[in-house]
Amino acid sequence: MQEYKAFKSGKVREMYDIGDSIVMVATDRISAFDHILKNKIRTKGAVLTQLSRFWFDFTKDIVPNHLISVDNNDMPEFFRQPEFIGNSMKCKKLTMLPMECIVRGYITGSGWESYRKTGEICGIKLPEGLKESQKLPEPIFTPSTKAEIGDHDENISVEQGANLMERLYPGHGREYAEKLKKYTLAIYKKCADYALTRGIIIADTKFEFGLDEKGNIVLGDEMITPDCSRFWPLKGYEAGKSQPSYDKQFVRDWLTENPASDYCLPDEIIDKTIEKYHEAYELLTGGKFEA
């Protein structure tokens, strides 16, 4: 059996080159505040992979994506070992674009803090009098730079994002930036509307895109998972306060309340996080999560 070594290791993912394609493995690691925590969240990688597969299929009419298969039998024998079952995606090779495409449908998190200070989020002027967690009149596109491990992503304006892309892809960068904005908003609107029918508010999320060998924009990475999104229960939602969540905001909140934790979670927080991830998966897909 041929063995493979990851050519790239991110905060929660390992990337393997298998020749004509790659295998992206979502680990059980979890990150918060740009730190990889010392604990692992059991089955988290499988939840991220299977939920991403669901969304990639749901949105393929809007923009093509990089997913080829989540069936380990479609991958080299090395990836049929137990540690790769359920958490691995065979994907097309892309040249990833250096901009995280964040979309916000509700005002929360860093966006709420920015609004309180300036009335704006990433240079976008918003109406006066908005409350914490309130739905925005229209979803807004607020890109950021993509940081290396240990560094912080930096929020940028749409114009700064267009300038960044134009520097890297002269003559095409602004066109790419405009398409990224269009795709991001279209995907979010379709998925957020669907999620409401399943009892979940997608408050915000992020997407990453790349270019294929023909220069076409393709959706990559993961998609609308508890790791890259804020999921709130629709039942009991009320603007003017923070919301309970199905995502890793639960972990962030615990870390904020326990600054001496040294990024190490107690067992009960791990178990509760696993429970929330599974519940989100089952509500959104309508199927039972099988590890």
Side-chain angles (χ1 to χ4, degrees), residues 47-65:
V47 171
L48 300 189
T49 297
Q50 301 306 320
L51 191 53
S52 292
R53 179 205 58 77
F54 172 82
W55 289 122
F56 282 135
D57 184 64
F58 188 70
T59 59
K60 62 187 179 184
D61 61 321
I62 298 175
V63 60
N65 61 70

Side-chain angles (χ1 to χ4, degrees), residues 112-147:
W112 170 241
E113 294 302 318
S114 175
Y115 173 76
R116 291 175 63 194
K117 294 176 183 177
T118 67
E120 299 178 349
I121 300 179
C122 297
I124 299 173
K125 184 70 176 177
L126 296 176
E128 296 181 0
L130 294 179
K131 300 177 181 179
E132 182 180 8
S133 304
Q134 186 170 341
K135 186 176 183 179
L136 296 170
E138 286 292 332
I140 58 174
F141 177 65
T142 59
S144 77
T145 59
K146 294 202 294 191

Side-chain angles (χ1 to χ4, degrees), residues 167-220:
R167 286 197 302 272
L168 294 172
Y169 299 96
H172 299 281
R174 290 190 171 275
E175 176 190 352
Y176 289 159
E178 187 58 36
K179 285 184 177 180
L180 294 184
K181 178 181 177 180
K182 181 184 76 171
Y183 288 147
T184 295
L185 292 172
I187 295 168
Y188 173 77
K189 288 176 181 177
K190 180 176 183 178
C191 296
D193 287 348
Y194 164 80
L196 286 176
T197 70
R198 306 297 303 174
I200 287 184
I201 294 170
I202 302 175
D204 55 36
T205 191
K206 75 173 182 69
F207 305 115
E208 296 194 29
F209 296 87
L211 300 177
D212 65 14
E213 69 280 359
K214 296 180 180 179
N216 299 311
I217 292 177
V218 177
L219 179 61

Side-chain angles (χ1 to χ4, degrees), residues 17-36:
D17 190 330
I18 60 170
D20 61 344
S21 54
I22 63 171
V23 172
M24 186 170 77
V25 179
T27 73
D28 290 342
R29 298 192 296 266
I30 189 168
S31 69
F33 304 120
D34 295 311
H35 283 78
I36 299 172

